[in-house]
Amino acid sequence: MQVKFSEDVVPLSDLKVNPGKVVNRAQDTHRPILLTSRGRGVAVVQGLEEYEKTAEELQFVKAVAQGLMDVREGKTVSLADAKKTLGID
């Protein structure tokens, strides 16, 4: 999901004039739209599917990072104990 600055940067005034066009572009291209005001980025419009996918990926990465930290800190259980806890002996 790479932003194409030639296509995906929209002045805030364009959103005010035709919000449906901006939202549809985000949904159709599967890329976020950067909204600007006075030449500076102020917000991002993103399709719901892309937002949910990004949020899910972030949650997964955080869980992996937490797991790696747990291993480094010795917070582990044996495979036998894990199976017992899960009831899959």
Side-chain angles (χ1 to χ4, degrees), residues 4-5 10 17-18 25-26 33-34 47 59 65 70-71 74 83:
K4 292 186 179 180
F5 289 102
V10 174
V17 171
N18 195 345
R25 186 188 312 174
I33 305 295
L34 175 63
Q59 185 178 8
D70 287 347
V71 168
K83 285 182 174 182

Side-chain angles (χ1 to χ4, degrees), residues 2-3 10 12 21 25 30-32 35 49-50 58 84 88:
Q2 180 134 355
V3 174
V10 174
L12 192 56
K21 182 178 179 182
R25 186 188 312 174
H30 302 282
R31 296 188 312 260
L35 300 176
E49 287 182 28
E50 298 305 314
L58 178 59
K84 184 177 179 181
I88 53 175

Side-chain angles (χ1 to χ4, degrees), residues 14-55:
D14 286 5
L15 179 70
K16 292 176 184 176
V17 171
N18 195 345
K21 182 178 179 182
V22 175
V23 170
N24 287 338
R25 186 188 312 174
Q27 289 177 325
D28 292 344
T29 64
H30 302 282
R31 296 188 312 260
I33 305 295
L34 175 63
L35 300 176
T36 61
S37 177
R38 298 183 181 147
R40 296 183 155 236
V42 293
V44 173
V45 174
Q46 185 176 25
L48 181 59
E49 287 182 28
E50 298 305 314
Y51 173 80
E52 289 174 338
K53 179 181 173 187
T54 301

